[in-house]
């Protein structure tokens, strides 16, 4: 949480508007860490249910935000407004989880005290978090690899390589939580810590918070303003 706060402060202090998705991811990871900690403390089935119902929307949210970030970084233009469908989808999943009609979200009684993680294959959670979630991360990683192979900038190449490594590392660390493989320390928490440390180092070494890309529409608007002024 301390490293997350440092990264958000650094990016915000530099007024970097084009890394809004990265800031959103960091906030989501803070939520992931907090809920994971609370799940390890509480034993009451009701509290566990509400914590899990909140936790289950985090993987698809994080992976969707990561894809948006990777898209804007590689394509150098803002994501389509259609991509914002992610947010009502996440909200809908959360609401469905509260009522669990026809066991569409949880295949077992949410208040039975049984583990609600991992998501069973016959639930909507499996489709969103496993199928779509990992597909989003893989798609973003593929875009980064292509971008890294084409760029002639050494700084941008290092930035892309770092993001690719973080993508792969994040997928590996998240598998343990998704498959409910228990350790004394949750691997994803270690992954989030390393993620934040990497971003903190990259912000200062590789100018990661100064990623430069403009929206095509902004370029055209600026061009038109120059023509009108002339």
């Amino acid at each position: 949480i301390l490293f997350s706060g440092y990264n958000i402060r650094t990016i915000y202090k530099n007024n970097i508007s084009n890394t809004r998705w990265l800031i959103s991811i960091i906030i989501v990871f803070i939520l992931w860490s907090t809920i994971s900690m609370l799940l390890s403390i509480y034993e009451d089935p009701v509290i566990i249910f509400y914590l899990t119902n909140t936790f289950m929307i985090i993987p698809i949210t994080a992976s969707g935000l990561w894809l948006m970030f990777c898209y804007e970084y590689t394509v150098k233009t803002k994501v389509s407004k259609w991509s914002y469908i992610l947010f009502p989808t996440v909200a809908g999943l959360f609401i469905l989880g509260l009522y669990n009609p026809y066991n569409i979200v949880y295949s077992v009684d949410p208040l039975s005290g049984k583990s609600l993680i991992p998501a069973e294959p016959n639930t909507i959670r499996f489709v969103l978090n496993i199928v779509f979630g990992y597909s989003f991360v893989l798609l973003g990683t593929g875009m980064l690899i292509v971008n890294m192979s084409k760029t002639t900038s050494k700084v941008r190449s290092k930035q892309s390589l770092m993001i690719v490594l973080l993508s792969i590392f994040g997928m590996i660390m998240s598998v343990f939580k998704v498959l409910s493989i228990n350790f004394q320390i949750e691997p994803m928490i270690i992954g989030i810590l390393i993620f934040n440390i990497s971003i903190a180092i990259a912000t200062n070494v590789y100018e990661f918070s100064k990623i430069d890309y403009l929206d095509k529409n902004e370029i055209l608007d600026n061009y038109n303003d120059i023509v009108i002024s002339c």
Side-chain angles (χ1 to χ4, degrees), residues 2 18 42 96 117 132 140 168:
L2 291 174
N18 53 15
Y42 290 103
L96 282 175
I117 303 173
F132 281 95
I168 296 173

Side-chain angles (χ1 to χ4, degrees), residues 105-119:
V105 179
Y106 303 103
S107 59
V108 298
D109 181 6
L111 300 178
S112 64
K114 297 181 180 179
S115 175
L116 302 178
I117 303 173

Side-chain angles (χ1 to χ4, degrees), residues 106-168:
Y106 303 103
S107 59
V108 298
D109 181 6
L111 300 178
S112 64
K114 297 181 180 179
S115 175
L116 302 178
I117 303 173
E120 297 296 331
N122 59 337
T123 62
I124 192 173
R125 284 195 303 154
F126 183 86
V127 176
L128 292 176
N129 286 335
I130 308 299
V131 179
F132 281 95
Y134 283 104
S135 296
F136 288 165
V137 177
L138 288 172
L139 180 58
T141 304
M143 296 171 66
L144 289 166
I145 293 174
V146 172
N147 178 264
M148 186 170 57
S149 65
K150 291 183 177 181
T151 186
T152 57
S153 170
K154 291 184 178 180
V155 172
R156 191 172 177 84
S157 178
K158 292 178 180 179
Q159 291 175 350
S160 298
L161 177 60
M162 188 203 69
I163 303 173
V164 168
L165 293 176
L166 287 177
S167 298
I168 296 173

Side-chain angles (χ1 to χ4, degrees), residues 26-41:
I26 294 173
I27 294 173
V28 169
F29 279 163
I30 292 175
L31 188 60
W32 183 314
S33 303
T34 303
I35 293 179
S36 295
M37 177 188 68
L38 294 176
L39 283 172
S40 66
I41 295 175

Side-chain angles (χ1 to χ4, degrees), residues 65-125:
L65 292 172
W66 188 252
L67 178 59
M68 292 180 189
F69 170 71
C70 292
Y71 176 87
E72 290 194 354
Y73 175 78
T74 56
V75 182
K76 300 183 181 180
T77 186
K78 292 181 179 179
V79 295
S80 168
K81 291 183 179 179
W82 284 103
S83 62
Y84 295 166
I85 196 174
L86 169 71
F87 304 116
T89 300
V90 168
L93 177 62
F94 178 81
I95 294 172
L96 282 175
L98 294 176
Y99 301 98
N100 195 34
Y102 306 105
N103 292 333
I104 192 173
V105 179
Y106 303 103
S107 59
V108 298
D109 181 6
L111 300 178
S112 64
K114 297 181 180 179
S115 175
L116 302 178
I117 303 173
E120 297 296 331
N122 59 337
T123 62
I124 192 173
R125 284 195 303 154

